Amino acid sequence: MSMIEITADIEAIIKQAILSFVATVNEDGTPNLSPKASLTVRSGVLYFADIASPRTILNLKRNPAVEINAVDIFQRRGYRFKGRALILPPDDAEFLMIADWVRATNGPEYPVDHVVKIETTSITPLLSPAHVFADPPRSQDEIRSTYYQKYGVKPIGA
């Protein structure tokens, strides 16, 4: 399988989004959507930690199909990742790398029950209509400024 490149922009969006959403398939075929603040990129590979997501893990053990959306709410853009999930064993070096990062970021009390590595099969951009239909077209700065106002927030240092 050829590797699909995770660019610097994709990595930046994941960091800025903070919260991403992982879709899996329930046993009855219905979707399961789970928020993840642990989605991260290491050496061009996507991972997330199971901190409190037993349903996601059960679903992935039965069916490794996964889709992940990461969207920066202020830029109104992001990415959709499709692929296969691999649940790493707890003694695996990649598991330990992600678990250590989660605990360093959130605190040692955070449980990391599983680490999931994604074999990405496709990455597609997600763009808000603000990017697509605005006439005249709006710059990324204009869009960001509009959504800071809509959410009632200011960038740090502003």
Side-chain angles (χ1 to χ4, degrees), residues 84-146:
R84 291 176 48 84
L86 298 167
I87 300 166
L88 301 176
D91 60 348
D92 184 276
E94 291 169 290
F95 179 110
L96 297 170
M97 169 184 66
I98 300 303
D100 288 348
W101 168 74
V102 167
R103 293 182 187 116
T105 304
N106 299 298
E109 69 279 8
Y110 272 65
V112 177
D113 295 325
H114 301 89
V115 170
V116 179
K117 178 180 183 176
I118 308 300
E119 286 182 346
T120 308
T121 56
S122 75
I123 301 173
T124 51
L126 293 171
L127 291 174
S128 157
H131 287 278
V132 181
F133 298 113
D135 189 18
R138 297 165 62 207
S139 73
Q140 184 65 73
D141 287 343
E142 289 173 306
I143 291 170
R144 187 181 297 112
S145 175
T146 298

Side-chain angles (χ1 to χ4, degrees), residues 11-13 15 20 23 32 36 40 43 51 57 60 62 66-67 71 76-77 90-92 99 103 106 114 117 129-130:
E11 196 165 346
I13 289 285
K15 284 182 183 158
S20 298
N32 179 71
K36 299 278 177 278
T40 189
S43 302
I51 297 166
I57 298 302
L60 293 175
R62 192 178 52 257
V66 66
E67 182 169 307
V71 176
R76 310 308 283 182
R77 66 184 191 89
D91 60 348
D92 184 276
R103 293 182 187 116
N106 299 298
H114 301 89
K117 178 180 183 176

Side-chain angles (χ1 to χ4, degrees), residues 9-10 29 31-32 38 43 51-52 56 62-63 73 100 125 145 149:
D9 184 65
I10 293 171
N32 179 71
S38 63
S43 302
I51 297 166
T56 297
R62 192 178 52 257
N63 178 349
I73 62 170
D100 288 348
S145 175
Q149 289 177 339

Side-chain angles (χ1 to χ4, degrees), residues 35-71:
K36 299 278 177 278
S38 63
L39 186 68
T40 189
V41 177
R42 294 290 185 276
S43 302
V45 178
L46 280 178
Y47 299 88
F48 68 82
D50 163 27
I51 297 166
S53 300
R55 170 68 50 206
T56 297
I57 298 302
L58 279 173
N59 287 344
L60 293 175
K61 284 180 177 176
R62 192 178 52 257
N63 178 349
V66 66
E67 182 169 307
I68 301 170
N69 283 200
V71 176

